[in-house]
Amino acid sequence: DELRAGLYAFDLVQRRAKRPAGAPDRSLARPVTKVGVVGAGLMASQLALLFARRLEVPVVLTDLDQARLDKGVGYVHAEVDKLLGKGRISADHANRLKGLVTGSLTKDAFADADFVIEAVFEDLGVKQKVFAEVEEVVSGTCVLATNTSSLSVTDMAAGLRHPERVVGFHFFNPVAVLPLLEIVRGAATDDATLATAFAVGKTLKKSCVLVKDAPAFVVNRLLTRFMGEVTAAADEGTPLEVADHALDSLGLPMTPFALLQLVGPAVALHVAETMRAAFPDRFGVSENLAKLVAAGKPGMYGPDLQIDPEVRTLFEGGSSPSTAEEVRLRALRALAQEIRLMLDEGVVAAPQDIDLCMILGAGWPFHTGGITPYLDRTGISEEVTGSRFLEPGVASVPA
Ligand code: 3HC
């Protein structure tokens, strides 16, 4: 079964990823000769580096103050130096890349850009304001892309003169490593915008999957549901190490709390809040996670890679601890339920797209076939949803 799941995963990343279901005719794509990035935080800086490296066009970052801009451009330059140090690029190439990425305090610098992506604070009002400001400066056909983790692309475009040029363009941390790009079509997005987004995604060497404009799209919806169960178990009194290692047997690239630290507790909290608002019966928001964010902690772990003692105190007080096995089953059952609902809602075309997204966007392993073959193999899909996701033989030994 593991071999079959691995072959299935290989076929997904080699074949299905190359012909994205639902992408419009590529001849509709418009050329992109200059890129604007709104924000100069860690995500925005990673995007600037990627666009400069793959598109080889000028990339301008904007932010509110010079210090943030300097930090953003500085990050790009440092990463270029690392590539040079590893021998991945030549000294000439490094100089050229550094020259392509600049910072500007005003959005006027976007005037001749064809593609502007925002990676600012996750707040609908803030993002709408950003797009309205950008629209004042750019041409009528410049694509406005959002790297939102969970907000509605349709709502973000509402109120613009040209809502048809807005598209979701959702990357995964670390951007340089994870190959997935979720492309989100809003209610008004036109084919030329979508085709341009797919063409840019391809030049960035990302595997693009078209996803519905549904809360948190695919990967964040599943990661949030899954992490929500693990965190809830910790809230209820399960020792943090037990909760965090309960899923080790799945062979995921990181434990849930290490992932929380990579994404950042504030972003994770934000996505959890959006999901609770959308689906209050299934998604909760951990008060302890909110306290962790309020305390300004980078995550559960301290610099010594041990649970931070202050964080441990925050989580004290739960009175119904679970065993590791109980946490594992709870998280897997939640995933099975959520995947079935996503397929019923048409968030993606098929279980194959869920698996493709989890392999490429969250590094989930080949031997689980992403996740649905594993849920089928362990009987959890049938137990929770009444049927398998994939027929026997698709990603398992034929019956
Ligand atoms: N930036 C750039 N490159 C990085 C990096 C980073 N932060 N972290 C690791 N890398 C590179 C390393 O340099 C190395 O490259 P090399 O082979 O060229 O030297 C390569 O990645 C592998 O690194 P390591 O061997 O150190 O580490 P691992 O093999 O353990 O992989 C990992 C690290 C890629 C982070 C892996 O653990 C992983 O895939 N984790 C899952 C992350 C995940 O789920 N992300 C999605 C989060 S959701 C999200 O981002 C959406 C947002 O909206 C919230």
Side-chain angles (χ1 to χ4, degrees):
D1 281 336
E2 286 82 351
L3 169 67
R4 295 282 181 144
L7 294 172
Y8 162 85
F10 185 76
D11 186 64
L12 294 184
V13 302
Q14 290 298 314
R15 200 194 335 229
R16 197 171 182 96
K18 297 203 167 105
R19 289 188 200 84
D25 191 337
R26 71 179 70 163
S27 66
L28 296 171
R30 288 189 288 260
V32 171
T33 57
K34 182 173 176 182
V35 172
V37 181
V38 190
L42 183 60
M43 193 42 132
S45 313
Q46 291 186 78
L47 297 183
L49 173 64
L50 180 71
F51 277 94
R53 200 163 165 217
R54 300 286 180 221
L55 262 55
E56 305 232 353
V57 301
V59 178
V60 191
L61 290 158
T62 59
D63 210 323
L64 301 175
D65 60 60
Q66 194 63 43
R68 288 187 218 196
L69 269 186
D70 290 346
K71 197 168 167 211
V73 175
Y75 168 88
V76 176
H77 286 194
E79 289 296 311
V80 170
D81 284 335
K82 275 192 213 162
L83 289 170
L84 177 62
K86 285 184 188 174
R88 297 270 169 91
I89 53 176
S90 67
D92 272 358
H93 193 179
N95 281 336
R96 204 164 63 242
L97 286 180
K98 285 183 187 173
L100 286 174
V101 180
T102 53
S104 164
L105 283 174
T106 65
K107 296 191 177 64
D108 300 348
F110 293 161
D112 48 350
D114 320 287
F115 192 101
V116 174
I117 183 162
E118 70 75 23
V120 298
F121 184 65
E122 282 287 296
D123 177 279
L124 184 63
V126 172
K127 291 189 187 262
Q128 283 172 329
K129 185 165 168 277
V130 160
F131 275 169
E133 285 168 13
V134 174
E135 195 167 51
E136 291 302 316
V137 180
V138 296
S139 77
T141 55
C142 173
V143 170
L144 301 187
T146 169
N147 181 44
T148 183
S149 320
S150 60
L151 300 171
S152 160
V153 174
T154 301
D155 292 351
M156 220 174 287
L160 292 183
R161 280 198 296 276
H162 292 288
E164 72 281 0
R165 52 144 107 213
V166 176
V167 66
F169 214 62
H170 185 217
F171 290 92
F172 297 85
N173 256 311
V175 172
V177 182
L178 289 173
L180 183 68
L181 182 58
E182 289 177 340
I183 296 190
V184 192
R185 175 170 218 157
T189 312
D190 66 11
D191 280 351
T193 301
L194 203 60
T196 308
F198 272 96
V200 170
K202 191 167 183 212
T203 314
L204 296 176
K205 297 199 177 165
K206 295 293 174 193
S207 296
C208 305
V209 175
L210 182 65
V211 301
K212 194 174 140 175
D213 189 17
F217 320 116
V218 176
V219 173
N220 278 351
R221 178 156 165 185
L222 289 177
L223 288 180
T224 304
R225 183 76 206 274
F226 168 83
M227 303 232 302
E229 300 296 333
V230 176
T231 311
D235 292 342
E236 290 160 13
T238 309
L240 294 175
E241 287 86 350
V242 172
D244 198 23
H245 288 286
L247 289 131
D248 282 0
S249 62
L250 257 82
L252 303 181
M254 296 182 139
T255 66
F257 295 155
L259 180 60
L260 177 71
Q261 200 127 358
L262 175 79
V263 169
V267 172
L269 179 65
H270 226 283
V271 180
E273 284 168 346
T274 307
M275 297 315 283
R276 179 178 59 182
F279 307 114
D281 55 327
R282 303 193 308 283
F283 288 83
V285 176
S286 159
E287 279 181 26
N288 292 328
L289 175 61
K291 285 188 215 157
L292 188 88
V293 175
K297 293 281 175 192
M300 304 279 198
Y301 288 94
D304 56 356
L305 303 183
Q306 301 297 315
I307 298 281
D308 177 331
E310 285 176 45
V311 171
R312 201 183 290 285
T313 316
L314 287 181
F315 276 79
E316 270 167 9
S319 56
S320 43
S322 303
T323 63
E325 181 56 10
E326 285 164 345
V327 177
R328 189 183 75 90
L329 279 174
R330 171 180 183 166
L332 291 173
R333 287 183 180 132
L335 280 176
Q337 183 195 34
E338 202 62 35
I339 291 169
R340 174 70 68 206
L341 290 165
M342 289 164 76
L343 292 170
D344 291 348
E345 285 169 33
V347 174
V348 285
Q352 280 83 347
D353 298 310
I354 300 265
D355 292 323
L356 184 61
C357 286
M358 297 314 282
I359 293 168
L360 298 180
W364 285 26
F366 267 48
H367 70 274
T368 59
I371 187 64
T372 68
Y374 182 84
L375 295 172
D376 286 345
R377 188 197 306 162
T378 49
I380 291 173
S381 330
E382 281 190 88
E383 178 206 324
V384 175
T385 75
S387 60
R388 299 169 60 100
F389 289 109
L390 302 165
E391 289 303 312
V394 175
S396 57
V397 177

